[in-house]
Every structure is written in C-alpha cells, then in structure tokens.
Amino acid sequence: MEEEAHRRGVLLERVGYDDRNSRPRFYLGRQEYAFWPEHRQVLLGAVCVLWHMKSGSVFLNHMAHVGIPLAVWVDHAAGYSDQNWPCVRYFDLGYGEDPGVLVASEIARRGYRSCVYISPFHGSLWSLERWRGLQRRALELGLRIECCVSDVLRSSWSVRDILEQDTNWNKKRHEWLESCPAGDLPFRREQFYALYSEAACDAELYEYCVPLFESACIKRSDVWVLCNDRVAVLAAEYLRRKGLEAPVLVGYDNSAEAGRAGISSFEFDTTGLARAMLDYLLNPRHNLYRSRELIRLQGFLVWR
C-alpha cells in the first residue's frame, strides 16, 4: 500500500485503532487521534482493514459519519454491505471458495491423486470456504479428498487470547507494561507481542495442530493442503521432528516463511488490492464503484 501510494503521489498516514478496551480509540503515532467531519476537507479518504476488530460495524459507523470515501478490506462483507453507508466500498482477495478450487485444479493437473485439508482454524468462515472450494473441485476431478480440522480456533488471535488466560503469561505481560506511560500503552502492548508473542503463539498453535498432523499421516495422501502458511510451516516442522517423508505441502498467503521453506502457496493479489483501493479513493464517483457489490481480486498458486 505504501509503495502504491508513493507511486501515485498520495501521502499515506497510518492510524491505529484499538477496540479491545472499554472505549475504542484511534492513534496517530503515539498520540490519541479523532476523526471529525472537518477532515473531509483535507483527506482523500481512508483505507480500512477490519481484521481482528471486535466490532467492524461500530468502526464503520463512526468513520462513515466523517463523510470521506472508505475503501474497506474484509474477508467477507456479510453484515456490512446491507448498511446504509454510501461512502463505503468493500474489497477482498477472493477469501471465498475460489482459492480452494484453484488449488485443487493445480494438484490434479500435476498428476496427484489424493489430498487432505488441514486446519486448526475451522471455526472461521475463511477456512470453511477454502475447504468447500477444495472439496467441490477435487470431487469434480476425481481426486480423493479428506480433511483433518478443528473448529476450536477462529484465527491466530484466538491463540493470543488463550495465552492471555495463562497466569504466568499475564504476569510477564504486566511486568513489561508496568513502566509504560499511559499514552504509550497500546504501542508498548504491540511491542511486547512482537517480541514475545509470535514464538509463544507458534508453540501453542503447534500443540493444537499435532493431532491433526497425526491424523493426516494415517490417510497417506499425496498432498497436504494447509489452511495457511503458518500451519504449513508447522507441518513441515512436525514432519522433520518425526523423521517422516514429507508429502507435497501447499499453504495460503505466499509468505516469506513459506518461500524459505520451499512450500507451495496461494498468492492473494495484495498489489492489485492496494491499486484498487487507492483507485476508489481517487475516483469514488467512477462507474466501476456505483454498485455496492463486493470488489473481489483473484489470486494464483505459486508452486515450488
């Protein structure tokens, strides 16, 4: 997004939003920030990401009253698109069934005859839809398709929430935050998670994944399709620890970690997303944006 904004000569400011406390707050840098209708005189609009918010509707209702164009990235528009917010347009990266369809098609094209879908995040809509697309296309192509899933978790933030219930973890977190000035608190909290949470979350997530990996091994499928790259990297680590011959691993997100591990992965068109969202802000009255339909960008599979 920053590269695309720079290319178009648009000054991009990053404003944080924290709704995990009793009163949602905006932050610009380290200072609390507020959006007012007067901002419409100086702002082209706002690119908004609803991921991990407790209530996207509360956020959008506030921003819509500012009256500036809002390009909103969602994993689905259910519950939002029927709201009367004329300045809002929704964009996504094909987080529906299509990525599953495309992955199954490529697996079959390469001559594999069986695959298993593995997800500890099957409590989420995005995991369900990837499975549905994968299953539907696999059956059409005559692939043997099975799944090893758990619906306990909805996202990686579910793992963080579990960690926060741990007494020792909370003690460590409070010690870290105790010396923070009040205005720095949201940023120091995120700094704490960046330093300590990623490894701890991966270790916690690995434990949730092990039973799924064990079940997948029994199925002896040619290809393991993991719900995302994070789980795919953990699958590679599990197979390494067990000294097992690795099946073909396919993830989603085409992350740097998947690339380093040599794991095939579905690339969501983030560059196209940035271009489309900025184009809406620069041309909100263009015919392309008259419809309230979700604007979806398709991705592709990077095979390694």
Side-chain angles (χ1 to χ4, degrees):
M1 184 64 73
E2 289 179 336
E3 291 179 3
E4 186 64 20
H6 179 74
R7 189 181 71 83
R8 296 192 180 206
V10 174
L11 177 62
L12 183 67
E13 293 276 11
R14 287 187 291 179
V15 177
Y17 178 73
D18 183 2
D19 68 348
R20 294 174 70 83
N21 297 302
S22 57
R23 182 174 71 86
R25 293 177 174 86
F26 291 90
Y27 291 91
L28 179 62
R30 294 178 179 272
Q31 302 300 317
E32 191 167 344
Y33 190 72
F35 283 98
W36 302 101
E38 292 76 10
H39 281 93
R40 74 183 70 174
Q41 307 298 325
V42 295
L43 294 177
L44 283 171
V47 172
C48 309
V49 182
L50 300 190
W51 293 34
H52 307 311
M53 288 186 186
K54 289 171 65 177
S55 175
S57 294
V58 170
F59 169 83
L60 288 175
N61 188 57
H62 178 89
M63 292 299 295
H65 281 86
V66 178
I68 58 176
L70 304 177
V72 182
W73 181 9
V74 293
D75 57 353
H76 61 88
Y80 300 122
S81 57
D82 56 344
Q83 300 292 327
N84 186 28
W85 294 317
C87 60
V88 178
R89 293 297 178 272
Y90 300 97
F91 299 77
D92 90 343
L93 289 173
Y95 284 177
E97 295 185 10
D98 289 348
V101 170
L102 293 171
V103 168
S105 297
E106 184 63 17
I107 289 171
R109 191 186 73 79
R110 290 179 175 271
Y112 298 106
R113 304 312 306 159
S114 61
C115 63
V116 59
Y117 178 72
I118 303 171
S119 174
F121 298 122
H122 221 51
S124 67
L125 180 62
W126 56 264
S127 179
L128 282 166
E129 291 190 332
R130 285 176 196 179
W131 160 244
R132 288 170 185 157
L134 183 75
Q135 181 187 42
R136 173 165 56 84
R137 186 58 174 157
L139 293 174
E140 291 171 354
L141 297 172
L143 285 174
R144 178 169 62 85
I145 177 75
E146 299 179 86
C147 68
C148 299
V149 298
S150 168
D151 61 3
V152 174
L153 305 175
R154 295 181 62 85
S155 72
S156 56
W157 279 57
S158 300
V159 183
R160 178 188 285 193
D161 290 341
I162 291 168
L163 280 175
E164 289 180 348
Q165 295 171 18
D166 182 85
T167 303
N168 292 330
W169 173 259
N170 269 315
K171 181 180 178 182
K172 187 175 185 179
R173 183 167 68 104
H174 285 302
E175 287 174 354
W176 170 271
L177 297 175
E178 211 169 37
S179 61
C180 295
D184 282 356
L185 193 57
F187 300 93
R188 291 295 296 271
R189 185 185 297 121
E190 292 309 312
Q191 186 181 16
F192 170 81
Y193 286 127
L195 289 171
Y196 296 107
S197 182
E198 185 174 354
C201 283
D202 279 350
E204 187 78 19
L205 180 58
Y206 183 83
E207 296 305 315
Y208 277 90
C209 289
V210 165
L212 306 181
F213 297 154
E214 290 174 344
S215 295
C217 286
I218 295 171
K219 299 182 186 303
R220 298 187 178 278
S221 297
D222 298 331
V223 181
W224 286 13
V225 180
L226 295 308
C227 63
N228 62 22
D229 284 349
R230 191 176 182 194
V231 177
V233 170
L234 293 178
E237 175 63 16
Y238 170 84
L239 293 165
R240 185 192 66 77
R241 290 183 186 182
K242 297 294 184 181
L244 299 173
E245 183 178 351
V248 174
L249 302 180
V250 178
Y252 288 86
D253 296 330
N254 196 29
S255 64
E257 291 77 13
R260 286 194 291 268
I263 297 171
S264 301
S265 185
F266 190 87
E267 167 70 40
F268 295 101
D269 189 6
T270 53
T271 300
L273 176 76
R275 289 172 180 164
M277 296 177 85
L278 279 172
D279 186 65
Y280 166 62
L281 299 185
L282 292 167
N283 307 283
R285 293 181 176 82
H286 193 282
N287 288 338
L288 178 64
Y289 305 113
R290 290 187 182 275
S291 169
R292 302 295 298 277
E293 293 292 323
L294 181 70
I295 299 170
R296 176 164 290 163
L297 291 91
Q298 297 295 349
F300 53 91
L301 181 59
V302 178
W303 197 272
R304 298 183 173 96

